[in-house]
């Protein structure tokens, strides 16, 4: 409770006068007793939500004098200081309520501001709104008015099957449907205090409400002037109910801020989706089928899109070309450069794939002439599955890993600078033969960088993950790649937003 001196004798009408833009000082004077005033300083409220809430002293109002104490035998009467219904206590309670509301809004908006992913933000909006309006369940329907998506529905306290039942209700009979389909663009809420007793309620809506056990709903639009209507939020009550005016005011303030935050995350999600789609389209849509070898690939793209890539292409006489690489930079320019580099390597591999050094030499010359400001790493392996023979060359790239029953070891490759770093690139190739049942794992440096460890520890972690592949999945290159990925990058690090792309290409030789 705020510490307001008991000498302040003011009725709540003074506060209402201030709210109605009346002279608050005149309203205070109305209740000031006649007599000589004593000096008084204005109370200082604590800071709330980063706002200095110090109340300045009135400019033309004096504090009332302290009244004489009532005789011991006289009971306190309403309107006197210390009485339970004193006006000072009323305004003190009202101010304390305002402070509490500001504090609540500050905490909820701070929690929302910490969300960086659209789906996480939608769940946070549902939880905060439910706390403000006193509901237990709810759903958000995201359906941007510009038609560019993404369209999704997120529930609070509702399983996926429950959301499916709600979606079977005709759109025009639902609160979110009426909000999203409004032609006048108004932002009024949809309130149904006693849903099941309403006349004209759609029979399917009544059936779903009875099945899911909700009897009332309160819905608000999620709209901004810049982005238009993004969607609608609906909160469901187990019993007939509706939020009071104070709750409506608070949730309205919260959703106004939340919608702006959602609009920013929506644009970010769209940019990520475009970059991810572009990167995926520039990679092989499917891996080739070549006798004597099984292939599997895993690709994780960062939020801005990066230049990590892989390739597997059939070559003449039953041979197979495997490649992984990484282009410096991120964003659309790096993705485009990656596409050009991969297409060029495919052409060189078809012409002279049996000589990996020549393939990378041609690629280095092309990169130096066409994109002198960019560098790249690459590894190309010419495989003859029938002979289980691999000839490989690398340019500044991490060595592949051989995973088998009797060994788990890195392939010894020669040290070489990345492409575009030297006036003329050339390094010797290496040749090795995997045993039957062994898997050769090619990867990009993003797998190591995402661990956050120094490179020596990251390599040790990768080796331990490969050595720990269960025997039951050693005949499945996809399962091997998944095990290594999730072991090296546990707790969702493989899916978390990162500036580093991750590529794994596994080839198991029969």
């Amino acid at each position: 409770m705020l510490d307001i001196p008991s000498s302040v004798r003011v009725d709540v009408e003074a506060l209402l006068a201030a709210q109605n833009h009346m002279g608050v000082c005149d309203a205070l004077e109305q209740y000031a007793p006649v007599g000589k005033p004593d000096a008084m300083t204005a109370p200082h409220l604590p800071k709330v939500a980063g706002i200095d809430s110090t109340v300045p002293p009135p400019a033309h109002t004096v504090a009332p004098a302290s009244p004489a104490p009532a005789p011991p035998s006289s009971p306190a009467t309403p309107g006197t200081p210390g009485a339970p219904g004193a006006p000072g206590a009323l305004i003190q309670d009202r101010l304390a309520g305002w402070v509490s509301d500001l504090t609540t809004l500050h905490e909820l908006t701070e929690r929302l501001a910490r969300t960086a992913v659209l789906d996480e933000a939608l769940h946070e909006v549902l939880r905060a709104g439910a706390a403000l309006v006193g509901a237990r369940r709810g759903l958000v329907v995201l359906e941007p008015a510009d038609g560019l998506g993404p369209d999704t529905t997120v529930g609070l306290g509702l399983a996926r099957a429950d959301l499916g039942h709600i979606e079977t209700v005709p759109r025009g009979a639902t609160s979110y449907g009426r909000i999203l389909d409004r032609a006048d663009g108004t932002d009024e809420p949809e309130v149904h205090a006693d849903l099941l007793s309403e006349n004209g309620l759609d029979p399917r809506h009544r059936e779903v409400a009875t099945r899911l056990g909700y009897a009332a709903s309160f819905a608000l639009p999620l709209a901004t002037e810049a982005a238009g209507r993004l969607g609608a939020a609906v909160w469901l009550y187990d019993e007939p109910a509706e939020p009071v005016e104070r709750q409506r005011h608070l949730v309205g303030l919260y959703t106004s801020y939340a919608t702006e935050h959602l609009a920013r995350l929506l644009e970010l999600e769209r940019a990520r989706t475009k970059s991810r789609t572009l990167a995926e389209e520039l990679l092989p849509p499917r891996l080739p089928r070549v006798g004597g070898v099984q292939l599997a690939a895993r690709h994780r793209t960062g939020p801005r899109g990066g230049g990590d890539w892989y390739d597997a292409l059939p070559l003449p006489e039953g041979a197979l070309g495997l490649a992984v690489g990484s282009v410096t930079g991120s964003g659309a320019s790096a993705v485009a450069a990656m596409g050009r580099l991969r297409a060029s390597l495919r052409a060189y591999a078809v012409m002279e794939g049996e000589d990996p050094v020549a393939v990378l030499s041609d690629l280095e010359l092309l990169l130096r002439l066409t994109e002198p400001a960019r560098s790249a790493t690459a590894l190309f392996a010419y495989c003859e599955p029938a002979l289980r023979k691999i000839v490989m060359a690398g340019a500044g790239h991490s060595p592949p890993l051989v995973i088998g029953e009797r060994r788990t070891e890195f392939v010894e490759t020669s040290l070489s600078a990345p492409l575009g770093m030297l006036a003329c690139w050339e390094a010797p190739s290496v040749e090795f033969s995997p045993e039957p049942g062994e898997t050769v794992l090619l990867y990009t440096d993003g797998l190591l960088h995402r661990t956050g460890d120094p490179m020596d520890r990251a390599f040790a972690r990768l080796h331990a993950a490969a050595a720990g592949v269960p025997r039951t999945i050693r005949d499945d290159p996809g399962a091997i790649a998944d095990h290594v990925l999730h072991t090296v990058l546990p707790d969702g690090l493989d899916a978390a937003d990162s500036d580093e792309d991750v590529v794994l290409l596994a080839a198991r030789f029969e």
Side-chain angles (χ1 to χ4, degrees):
M1 192 66 72
L2 300 176
D3 185 16
I4 298 180
S6 60
S7 58
V8 180
R9 300 179 59 193
V10 133
D11 197 2
V12 72
E13 294 176 10
L15 182 61
L16 297 176
Q19 289 179 303
N20 294 324
H21 306 287
M22 296 173 57
V24 64
C25 298
D26 298 332
L28 289 169
E29 287 176 349
Q30 176 181 354
Y31 296 94
V34 179
K36 183 178 180 180
D38 12 321
M40 182 187 75
T41 59
H44 294 270
L45 303 180
K47 279 191 174 184
V48 177
I51 303 174
D52 187 356
S53 55
T54 304
V55 179
H60 59 280
T61 304
V62 294
S66 301
S73 58
S74 303
T77 58
T80 60
L90 294 177
I91 192 172
Q92 188 175 3
D93 290 342
R94 179 67 65 87
L95 289 174
W98 286 355
V99 170
S100 176
D101 291 344
L102 285 173
T103 303
T104 300
L105 284 176
H106 173 65
E107 292 175 352
L108 294 178
T109 53
E110 281 291 312
R111 285 168 51 181
L112 180 63
R114 288 193 292 268
T115 59
V117 182
L118 183 60
D119 186 71
E120 181 184 355
L122 292 174
H123 281 91
E124 179 59 36
V125 169
L126 278 178
R127 287 191 293 266
L132 291 173
V133 303
R136 188 173 64 88
R137 294 178 292 176
L139 65 150
V140 167
V141 179
L142 188 67
E143 191 177 301
D146 57 12
L148 300 179
D151 296 348
T152 185
T153 301
V154 174
L156 172 69
L158 297 171
R160 177 54 59 180
D162 298 334
L163 295 176
H165 286 303
I166 293 176
E167 290 174 352
T168 63
V169 178
R171 182 183 176 92
T174 62
S175 298
Y176 66 83
R178 285 190 286 267
I179 288 177
L180 295 175
D181 295 339
R182 284 175 181 169
D184 55 3
T186 58
D187 293 335
E188 294 299 319
E190 283 277 340
V191 185
H192 299 276
D194 193 353
L195 191 66
L196 298 179
S197 65
E198 289 184 2
N199 294 327
L201 182 65
D202 184 86
R204 179 57 183 168
H205 197 177
R206 184 184 303 277
E207 179 183 349
V208 170
T210 303
R211 178 169 186 166
L212 300 184
Y214 65 87
S217 66
F218 177 75
L220 282 175
L222 301 174
T224 64
E225 293 185 4
R229 185 163 289 122
L230 303 182
V234 185
W235 289 277
L236 305 175
Y237 297 88
D238 297 341
E239 303 292 339
E242 65 177 301
V244 298
E245 187 62 32
R246 170 176 165 272
Q247 291 174 318
R248 295 191 190 188
H249 179 65
L250 289 177
V251 75
L253 292 175
Y254 176 80
T255 53
S256 296
Y257 170 81
T259 304
E260 296 290 342
H261 184 68
L262 291 175
R264 292 190 291 269
L265 292 182
L266 178 64
E267 291 301 319
L268 183 60
E269 181 68 21
R270 287 174 174 177
R272 289 174 176 172
T273 302
K274 290 179 181 178
S275 179
R276 190 180 305 115
T277 302
L278 177 61
E280 294 294 338
E281 288 297 324
L282 291 175
L283 294 175
R286 65 183 62 86
L287 295 173
R289 294 179 178 271
V290 178
V293 63
Q294 295 175 286
L295 300 174
R298 299 293 182 265
H299 184 216
R300 300 290 186 270
T301 306
R304 294 185 297 171
D308 287 17
W309 54 277
Y310 68 92
D311 205 351
L313 67 157
L315 296 176
E317 299 179 0
L320 174 69
L322 301 176
V324 292
S326 177
V327 176
T328 56
S330 60
S333 63
V335 173
M338 175 266 286
R340 293 191 294 267
L341 196 70
R342 171 178 169 264
S344 301
L345 185 140
R346 290 175 70 92
Y348 297 143
V350 171
M351 292 186 296
E352 47 192 5
E354 67 279 358
D355 185 358
V357 172
V359 172
L360 294 185
S361 296
D362 293 342
L363 195 64
E364 194 277 336
L365 178 60
L366 177 70
L367 186 68
R368 181 156 44 88
L369 294 177
T370 59
E371 300 186 55
R374 195 181 297 278
S375 64
T377 66
L379 187 148
F380 178 72
Y382 178 80
C383 308
E384 296 179 83
L387 303 175
R388 291 195 306 277
K389 175 184 174 182
I390 299 177
V391 181
M392 178 172 46
H397 205 83
S398 299
L401 192 61
V402 178
I403 305 171
E405 292 288 344
R406 294 189 296 271
R407 63 171 176 170
T408 299
E409 60 187 24
F410 292 101
V411 177
E412 294 293 338
T413 57
S414 58
L415 295 176
S416 171
L419 302 175
M421 298 293 290
L422 300 177
C424 180
W425 180 92
E426 186 168 338
S429 60
V430 296
E431 180 179 325
F432 67 98
S433 297
E435 298 293 330
E438 290 187 333
T439 299
V440 178
L441 184 67
L442 285 66
Y443 55 92
T444 59
D445 292 343
L447 178 66
L448 306 174
H449 293 318
R450 279 205 187 194
T451 63
D453 293 337
M455 291 303 289
D456 57 342
R457 293 185 181 179
F459 275 114
R461 177 183 291 191
L462 173 59
H463 185 275
V469 174
R471 291 187 176 183
T472 55
I473 64 172
R474 286 183 180 268
D475 58 348
D476 184 353
I480 292 175
D482 288 333
H483 173 84
V484 170
L485 183 63
H486 298 150
T487 305
V488 176
L489 301 175
D491 303 326
L493 285 177
D494 61 314
D497 285 345
S498 172
D499 292 336
E500 301 288 345
D501 286 6
V502 176
V503 163
L504 286 87
L505 178 61
R508 180 182 181 274
F509 290 84
E510 298 175 352

